[in-house]
């Protein structure tokens, strides 16, 4: 379902956590929420790099919950916007969103015991997945929403 969205490991060469102009859809609400998602992922990366923290388990759990909650919030907002403007690819977007949230729920519920044993490796894998998926989803799917709005002269 997410094949076009899951080019894991394909990140920005200089700063994979920078919300640059190339990610902007032209829709302020969507862009602001995407920026926040990048910030949460950066926060997770900073945790990985914090060498003075030996047991990161509790913080990992907090960040996973924060990411899951904010992602669901964002996807809801984005889907409501697409519905309001009659966006023709809404169903495909909903499927991609649902699959991503399912992945987050699986991480949260099914791997917590494993996280405590190898936090560093787990976080690196998670970061690669999150940045890769978000980058490719925005560039491959979400930017089309902005193009649709612009080409149809839709006022938001």
């Amino acid at each position: 379902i997410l094949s076009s969205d899951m080019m894991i490991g394909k990140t920005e060469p200089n700063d994979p956590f920078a919300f640059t102009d190339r990610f902007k859809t032209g829709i302020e609400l969507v862009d602001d929420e995407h920026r926040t998602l990048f910030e949460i992922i950066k926060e997770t990366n900073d945790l990985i790099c914090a060498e003075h923290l030996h047991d990161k388990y509790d913080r990992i759990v907090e960040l996973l919950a924060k990411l899951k909650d904010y992602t669901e919030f964002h996807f809801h907002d984005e889907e409501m916007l697409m519905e309001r403007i009659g966006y023709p690819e809404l169903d495909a977007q909903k499927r991609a969103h649902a699959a991503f949230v399912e992945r987050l729920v699986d991480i949260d519920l099914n791997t917590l015991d494993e996280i405590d044993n190898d936090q560093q490796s787990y976080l690196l894998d998670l970061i690669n997945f999150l940045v890769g998926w978000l980058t490719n989803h925005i560039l491959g799917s979400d930017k089309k929403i902005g193009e649709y709005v612009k080409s149809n002269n839709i006022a938001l």
Side-chain angles (χ1 to χ4, degrees):
I1 256 176
L2 295 176
S3 60
S4 66
D5 291 332
M6 290 185 57
M7 295 171 55
I8 297 173
K10 304 264 183 174
T11 58
E12 294 296 290
N14 297 329
D15 182 359
F17 311 106
F19 184 82
T20 61
D21 286 347
R22 72 182 278 232
F23 293 113
K24 290 184 178 176
T25 63
I27 302 169
E28 187 175 359
L29 170 75
V30 172
D31 292 340
D32 288 346
E33 291 181 3
H34 285 164
R35 183 177 290 107
T36 299
L37 286 169
F38 273 95
E39 289 168 0
I40 295 168
I41 296 169
K42 180 179 181 350
E43 188 177 353
T44 304
N45 186 69
D46 290 347
L47 179 61
I48 293 172
C49 298
E51 294 179 16
H52 65 280
L53 294 177
H54 297 292
D55 186 10
K56 304 172 186 179
Y57 180 80
D58 291 340
R59 188 69 182 122
I60 292 168
V61 173
E62 289 173 22
L63 285 172
L64 287 173
K66 180 178 180 180
L67 178 65
K68 180 183 163 291
D69 291 346
Y70 194 81
T71 298
E72 289 176 331
F73 166 80
H74 165 64
F75 287 166
H76 177 265
D77 280 355
E78 198 173 81
E79 289 169 10
M80 295 305 295
L81 170 76
M82 288 185 281
E83 195 170 296
R84 193 172 80 234
I85 65 172
Y87 187 62
E89 295 181 40
L90 173 61
D91 288 339
Q93 282 271 36
K94 282 184 174 183
R95 285 191 302 273
H97 290 170
F100 185 73
V101 169
E102 185 178 314
R103 169 79 190 257
L104 290 177
V105 168
D106 285 347
I107 290 168
D108 198 7
L109 299 176
N110 298 330
T111 61
L112 290 182
D113 293 337
E114 296 167 24
I115 294 172
D116 203 31
N117 296 330
D118 191 3
Q119 293 173 352
Q120 194 79 7
S121 174
Y122 177 82
L123 281 174
L124 289 171
D125 289 345
L126 181 59
I127 288 293
N128 284 333
F129 171 74
L130 296 173
V131 172
W133 190 91
L134 184 59
T135 296
N136 289 292
H137 183 73
I138 291 171
L139 296 177
S141 299
D142 289 349
K143 286 192 67 110
K144 291 178 184 177
I145 304 167
E147 293 165 6
Y148 178 81
V149 166
K150 187 175 181 179
S151 67
N152 289 284
N153 295 315
I154 298 172
L156 297 177

